[in-house]
């Protein structure tokens, strides 16, 4: 049976909960796949990634659950494959279908709230970086592409690790607002930094799941993996 390994960064300070959460995520994706075994590993849990890789067949693929094609995807992952010539797919954040999928998820939420996008503000809460422009560039490109699918009253982008902050982006909005955490997985930033920033801004709107946890995204990853193996 074809195999895929979903890889995420994980939580270096507390690796086990993130490892368990990713395993549950992989099980959900596997249940949606057509004949693909899906396993998982975080890079932060000592030895887990290497162990999982050693168990993979030669035709297995690595799916990076990351929002940017940065150092972890292009440098850390290949280096830690220990000579295994496994195919590393593009990460979630650069998937060409991502803006339309997220737009559809936003429409779902807007309909549930009985809101129109034209009267709703959207805050994109992203990671950013104090060292590299790549993460914020990816987030800004995503925001531009998303605007081609949905026209919000305003779309504001805020970052954890660079200006403008999420608190600045979310300040002064009414209760008719959505916040979408532009992250692949739940982690310290999503569980701690984003809520703190929104509280500092007195944000009263709806906070959506992180991008990677949206049901449409899980279905898309499963479809991507299934098609990949059926086409080869």
């Amino acid at each position: 049976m074809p195999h895929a390994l979903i890889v995420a960064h994980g939580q270096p300070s507390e690796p086990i909960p993130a490892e368990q959460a990713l395993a549950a995520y992989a099980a959900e994706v596997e249940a949606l796949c057509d004949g693909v075994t899906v396993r998982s590993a975080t890079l932060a849990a000592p030895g887990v990634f290497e162990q999982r890789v050693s168990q993979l067949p030669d035709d297995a693929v690595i799916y990076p659950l990351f929002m940017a094609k940065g150092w972890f995807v292009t440098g850390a992952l290949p280096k830690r494959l220990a000579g295994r010539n496994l195919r590393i797919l593009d990460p979630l954040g650069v998937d060409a279908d991502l803006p339309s999928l997220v737009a559809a998820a936003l429409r779902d939420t807007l309909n549930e709230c009985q809101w129109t996008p034209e009267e709703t503000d959207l805050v994109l809460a992203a990671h950013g970086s104090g060292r590299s422009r790549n993460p914020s560039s990816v987030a800004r490109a995503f925001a531009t592409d998303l605007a081609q699918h949905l026209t919000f009253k305003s779309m504001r982008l805020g970052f954890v690790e660079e200006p403008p902050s999420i608190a600045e982006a979310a300040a002064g909005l009414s209760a008719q607002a959505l916040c979408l955490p532009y992250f692949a997985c739940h982690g310290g930033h999503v569980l701690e930094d984003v809520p703190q920033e929104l509280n500092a801004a007195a944000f009263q709107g709806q906070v959506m799941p992180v991008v990677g946890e949206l049901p449409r995204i899980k279905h898309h990853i499963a479809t991507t993996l299934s098609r990949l193996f059926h086409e080869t």
Side-chain angles (χ1 to χ4, degrees):
M1 181 178 288
H3 283 66
L5 183 69
I6 296 179
V7 179
H9 183 270
Q11 191 75 14
S13 61
E14 198 174 0
I16 294 177
E19 189 67 37
Q20 293 173 335
L22 188 62
Y25 187 97
E28 287 187 62
V29 172
E30 181 181 76
L32 297 168
C33 279
D34 181 10
V36 181
T37 297
V38 183
R39 295 294 180 262
S40 65
T42 67
L43 297 178
V48 173
F49 176 76
E50 287 76 11
Q51 180 187 27
R52 296 285 191 274
V53 166
S54 71
Q55 298 167 344
L56 293 174
D58 290 339
D59 63 347
V61 298
I62 308 291
Y63 185 90
L65 198 59
F66 287 79
M67 297 310 290
K69 196 172 183 177
W71 178 81
F72 282 108
V73 175
T74 62
L77 269 180
K79 184 176 181 180
R80 290 179 62 174
L81 287 178
R84 294 291 307 276
N85 189 27
L86 300 177
R87 181 179 176 186
I88 300 175
L89 304 180
D90 281 338
L92 173 64
V94 299
D95 192 314
D97 292 323
L98 188 62
S100 61
L101 289 165
V102 171
L106 286 164
R107 287 192 191 95
D108 292 340
T109 301
L110 289 166
N111 289 336
E112 290 171 8
C113 296
Q114 297 185 324
W115 294 346
T116 64
E118 294 81 6
E119 297 176 329
T120 306
D121 296 293
L122 175 66
V123 177
L124 292 175
H127 188 286
S129 172
R131 293 171 295 180
S132 169
R133 296 280 70 81
N134 188 49
S136 59
S137 295
V138 171
R140 292 182 194 282
F142 171 80
T144 298
D145 291 340
L146 182 62
Q148 305 303 311
H149 296 274
L150 274 176
T151 302
F152 283 92
K153 181 179 178 181
S154 73
M155 187 185 300
R156 306 177 177 196
L157 190 57
F159 301 98
V160 173
E161 293 194 356
E162 64 180 270
S165 68
I166 296 168
E168 289 173 314
L173 300 180
S174 73
Q176 189 167 334
L178 298 175
C179 175
L180 176 66
Y182 186 72
F183 290 82
C185 307
H186 283 289
H189 289 311
V190 175
L191 297 175
E192 299 173 11
D193 295 322
V194 173
Q196 289 173 2
E197 290 286 305
L198 293 177
N199 286 338
F203 183 75
Q204 306 172 61
Q206 301 287 326
V207 182
M208 296 181 62
V210 299
V211 169
E213 290 286 349
L214 295 171
R216 289 178 181 271
I217 298 301
K218 294 177 183 178
H219 278 273
H220 178 68
I221 293 173
T223 300
T224 299
L225 296 175
S226 299
R227 287 177 178 170
L228 175 69
F229 286 108
H230 285 304
E231 290 173 358
T232 55

